[in-house]
Structure formats: structure tokens, C-alpha cells
Amino acid sequence: MIIPRSRTAPLLFVLAAVLALGPTTAVADTPDPLVPGVPGGGRAEYPMDTPDQVLPPLQGEGDVPVPEPEEGVDELVEYLPRSVVGAACTATAGGYQRQVERLLGLKVDGKQSGADCAAIKAFQKREKIKPANGYAGPVTWARAELLAARKVLDPGRRCPVKKYAVACVDLDRQLMWVRKGKKVTYGVVNVRSGRGGYATRAGWHSVYWRHKDHWSSIYNTPMPYSQFFSGGQAFHAVYEQIATPTGSRGCVNLSHANARKLWDVLRKGDRVYIWGKRPGS
């Protein structure tokens, strides 16, 4: 059968476009030297950070259903240097030693002592952080910071008090909450902001676009409950721990449960105020 020239032209055009694009490869982050500690001294692979520096999809791009998170994703597993994995009580000072010492009322010197290890280990056991071996890593610090904020939410009074809703993001402590006037409408939660080179932009912003089942066509990864507030930066859920050695690519990451709750609190046009800097970024 002979195909008319009028029908072959579009086919040839599509084929040429596909060939011009060529093969694509995903670029993964360099693995961090820290690994999630596993009870019993085992090791686990370092989870790939969710790429999230994205722009809204092109008009006509359909929603992609996002699966519910698996059981156990909220388990608190500390990140450890390989040299201390399996230690009963580590003598090594953690990357967040000073912060944890301050929050637990210990002598703030950045040095791990036997008393420090015992106090940090007791805190980890109480908060069900695994393994409980006294290492002051990002998970232990994040949990201690959250508990302290539940007692004194905003000691520096950085979150503006307005008649309208304001989503406040404290990059120094990696926390966020929402307030309207003097009332907190969304309680404080842990977040993960941008790493070095991908800083989450500080200052005033507004929620300008929301997409509940957002899928990043750039990185081919889910971004559930996305609420964009500055260019490609958004609040959204990730399917992994929030407290990790490295940050996001600019977005403010939340746990799936917290992002889902935030979706019901914020609306398009609501204001966002961000200050500080992520430790180590």
C-alpha cells in the first residue's frame, strides 16, 4: 500500500524530533558520607534526595495520581558516619553537637563527653530515634528543635503578626507554622529547605499556584500537595525523612502527613514569610 505524501510528512517530522532529542540520563546527587543508622549495626543505602526545583507544568499536562506513602516512612532513623554504625555509645561528636547540647541543657562546647552521650542517648530512646547511641545527627537535632518550639514557638519574634494568614518558615531551625493574627492555625512542624547552591529564597512571598497531585516533568518525580510561592519553589511532600544531612533543591519539604494538612490550611494568595539560613548550607 502506498501512503499519501500528506500523511507521511507529519510522521517524518515526529521521527526527526525524537532523533534530535537523543537519549536522556538522570543526574543523581553525590551520595553523602553519612548513612541512615540501622538497629543492630547494619547499613542502608543513602536515599536519593527528591529533585524539586521545578516550574508549573505546561498547559494541558494532566494530573498524575500520587500513591499514598508506605507504612513506616515516618520512623526516625539517625544518619551516622560509617565509623560509628553499631556503636553502643559513640565518642564521636555529631554534626549537630552544639545545637543538641544547647537544646538538651548540656555544656555547649561541641565536644562529646560520656555525660553528653548518655544524655543524648536517653533523649533518643525517649523519642524513639534509632539507633539510640548518643550521636547528635540531623534527626536528633530536628526532633529536639521541634520539641523546644512547641514550648516557645518564636523566641525571636520573627514571624509577623498580621490580620491575614502568614506561613512562617524559620530556616535557622528548619521549622514552619501558620498564624493569623495571634492565633496559630497550623502547628509547628519540621521542614527541609534548600541546600548550598539551592537556597530557599527568604523574604515575603505569596502562594500563587497549587497542584495537589503535581508531578515534576523535569525530574520525573512526585511532588504531592505542591503549593508554589516563589518561582519553582514550593511547599510539598516527600516520601522520605525530612531531617537529612543535605537539603532540598530550594523547595520547603514536609512529610506527607504534614503537607496534606497544610494543603487544607493555605489558599491561593496567602502570604509566606521566610527568614534565616539552613545550617551548613
Side-chain angles (χ1 to χ4, degrees):
M1 180 178 68
I2 299 176
I3 301 175
R5 182 181 299 273
S6 60
R7 296 186 181 180
T8 60
L11 295 174
L12 293 175
F13 176 79
V14 172
L15 179 60
V18 172
L19 292 175
L21 289 174
T24 58
T25 56
V27 180
D29 295 332
T30 302
D32 194 280
L34 300 183
V35 297
V38 178
R43 294 179 178 178
E45 293 298 322
Y46 179 79
M48 179 178 177
D49 184 68
T50 303
D52 50 21
Q53 185 72 6
V54 302
L55 295 174
L58 298 175
Q59 185 175 5
E61 181 175 327
D63 291 355
V64 178
V66 176
E68 288 298 313
E70 297 178 0
E71 292 295 328
V73 295
D74 291 329
E75 184 180 28
L76 299 178
V77 180
E78 187 57 273
Y79 286 75
L80 308 174
R82 295 186 186 278
S83 59
V84 304
V85 171
C89 199
T90 175
T92 302
Y96 296 85
Q97 187 75 25
R98 286 182 177 275
Q99 292 95 322
V100 173
E101 288 171 344
R102 172 179 55 81
L103 291 163
L104 297 188
L106 304 172
K107 179 182 178 181
V108 181
D109 58 8
K111 300 177 181 179
Q112 178 81 314
S113 66
D116 289 342
C117 186
I120 296 171
K121 185 173 181 177
F123 173 79
Q124 291 169 332
K125 285 185 175 180
R126 184 168 66 250
E127 297 303 318
K128 299 180 180 180
I129 299 171
K130 302 175 182 180
N133 66 355
Y135 183 81
V139 174
T140 302
W141 169 63
R143 186 63 182 173
E145 203 74 82
L146 178 65
L147 295 179
R150 287 177 178 172
K151 295 179 181 179
V152 182
L153 178 60
D154 189 15
R157 298 185 179 182
R158 301 294 301 275
C159 181
V161 178
K162 301 291 185 181
K163 293 181 179 180
Y164 48 83
V166 179
C168 290
V169 182
D170 184 341
L171 300 181
D172 295 327
R173 296 185 292 165
Q174 293 291 282
L175 300 171
M176 78 152 293
W177 63 93
V178 180
R179 71 183 308 162
K180 186 175 183 180
K182 295 183 179 181
K183 183 179 180 180
V184 175
T185 59
Y186 178 86
V188 62
V189 298
N190 292 120
V191 298
R192 179 175 62 185
S193 66
R195 68 186 73 172
Y198 296 89
T200 301
R201 290 182 279 275
W204 281 101
H205 310 283
S206 295
V207 176
Y208 70 89
W209 188 67
R210 292 168 18 112
H211 195 188
K212 187 174 184 179
D213 295 323
H214 186 65
W215 185 279
S216 171
S217 57
I218 297 175
Y219 297 106
N220 191 31
T221 192
M223 293 173 54
Y225 301 102
S226 286
Q227 302 192 70
F228 290 84
F229 56 80
S230 177
Q233 296 187 355
F235 297 112
H236 73 82
V238 292
Y239 293 102
E240 60 193 60
Q241 284 192 153
I242 293 300
T244 59
T246 56
S248 71
R249 287 183 173 83
C251 286
V252 176
N253 298 159
L254 299 94
S255 71
H256 191 276
N258 289 336
R260 183 174 58 212
K261 292 177 182 177
L262 184 63
W263 178 267
D264 293 330
V265 173
L266 294 182
R267 296 290 182 269
K268 183 177 179 181
D270 281 346
R271 302 303 302 276
V272 178
Y273 185 68
I274 302 174
W275 70 88
K277 181 181 179 182
R278 176 184 170 85
S281 64

